[in-house]
Amino acid sequence: MESRTKKKRLQVYKFLLEHMSDEQRFNLNAKIVQDVLGGIVDSVIPFDDESIPIVQDAFTILCCKEMKLSTLRASAVSADDFQDEQEAVVAVAKKTIISQVVKRNVIENIVPVIIALKHMLEKMRSPLLGDLMAFLRELMKNYPNEVKGSVYVLLTYCLFVVLHYILSTLHVFTIRVECH
């Protein structure tokens, strides 16, 4: 039953996203990341059985191909697509500006929340970690140029966490061996 209702919700989400402007999609993305995912991280929204489906739906929406801004979805701009040079220049400038805004948003707003949420979900051994990783894959697929620097920061952080865990485990192991 839940699988069927989840599929129906996904259809509704996709329909709504298809009928949104780029500005609305951009604002929705920001709201989901800051208010839902950030709300979980900041304990504004309690992380419990009632909020788990909300977080899953948030990741589902963020992973939808319909969520990607149509301006960035368009293939490379060709001079043949426009009546004159001025239109082509405006289109290229618009895409460049939007790309820069998205890059800044990813770096300043999305990545910090995702890193904090990933850390929290890892501590809790939450199954939502899979949804978070699916979102990261989509982010990388949809905005590879915008995320490049952010991923370096994320990977560095993950490496630090893994090394910290390994070193703390070795330290505990060394103490236990010395005591026995």
Side-chain angles (χ1 to χ4, degrees):
M1 181 71 174
E2 176 155 343
S3 177
R4 200 168 70 205
T5 59
K6 193 172 189 173
K7 284 181 184 178
K8 286 183 178 186
R9 283 196 318 271
L10 181 59
Q11 285 179 317
V12 171
Y13 297 149
K14 286 183 176 189
F15 175 81
L16 292 171
L17 289 169
E18 287 170 357
H19 292 86
M20 287 182 175
S21 67
D22 277 353
E23 181 182 356
Q24 290 169 323
R25 277 191 220 106
F26 183 84
N27 290 335
L28 177 62
N29 186 307
K31 284 294 221 179
I32 290 172
V33 170
Q34 294 302 315
D35 294 351
V36 177
L37 304 180
I40 294 290
V41 169
D42 296 336
S43 299
V44 173
I45 299 173
F47 189 68
D48 55 24
D49 290 340
E50 291 179 17
S51 63
I52 287 175
I54 295 168
V55 175
Q56 286 175 322
D57 280 6
F59 281 126
T60 299
I61 292 167
L62 292 171
C63 288
C64 284
K65 71 176 189 222
E66 294 82 2
M67 185 60 138
K68 186 172 180 186
L69 304 182
S70 61
T71 308
L72 299 178
R73 256 189 265 158
S75 59
V77 178
S78 167
D80 299 335
D81 297 338
F82 300 97
Q83 306 251 335
D84 60 24
E85 256 184 70
Q86 188 176 6
E87 282 183 33
V89 169
V90 168
V92 169
K94 181 179 176 184
K95 188 170 184 173
T96 303
I97 290 169
I98 290 173
S99 178
Q100 290 301 314
V101 169
V102 168
K103 179 180 181 176
R104 188 172 183 178
N105 182 54
V106 167
I107 292 168
E108 293 179 4
N109 300 316
I110 296 176
V111 171
V113 171
I114 296 303
I115 289 173
L117 184 59
K118 182 179 179 293
H119 184 66
M120 180 181 150
L121 295 177
E122 284 174 335
K123 277 185 177 178
M124 301 172 93
R125 299 179 194 261
S126 172
L128 286 177
L129 197 54
D131 296 296
L132 182 140
M133 296 308 284
F135 171 62
L136 276 176
R137 279 190 299 276
E138 283 301 308
L139 200 62
M140 284 298 300
K141 187 172 79 176
N142 292 335
Y143 305 108
N145 298 328
E146 290 81 356
V147 179
K148 238 178 231 179
S150 300
V151 170
Y152 175 75
V153 170
L154 181 62
L155 290 175
T156 304
Y157 172 78
C158 290
L159 181 61
F160 174 76
V161 169
V162 168
L163 286 173
H164 183 268
Y165 175 77
I166 290 170
L167 291 174
S168 65
T169 304
L170 288 174
H171 179 70
V172 169
F173 180 71
T174 305
I175 292 172
R176 287 184 184 157
V177 170
E178 290 173 1
C179 292
H180 286 60

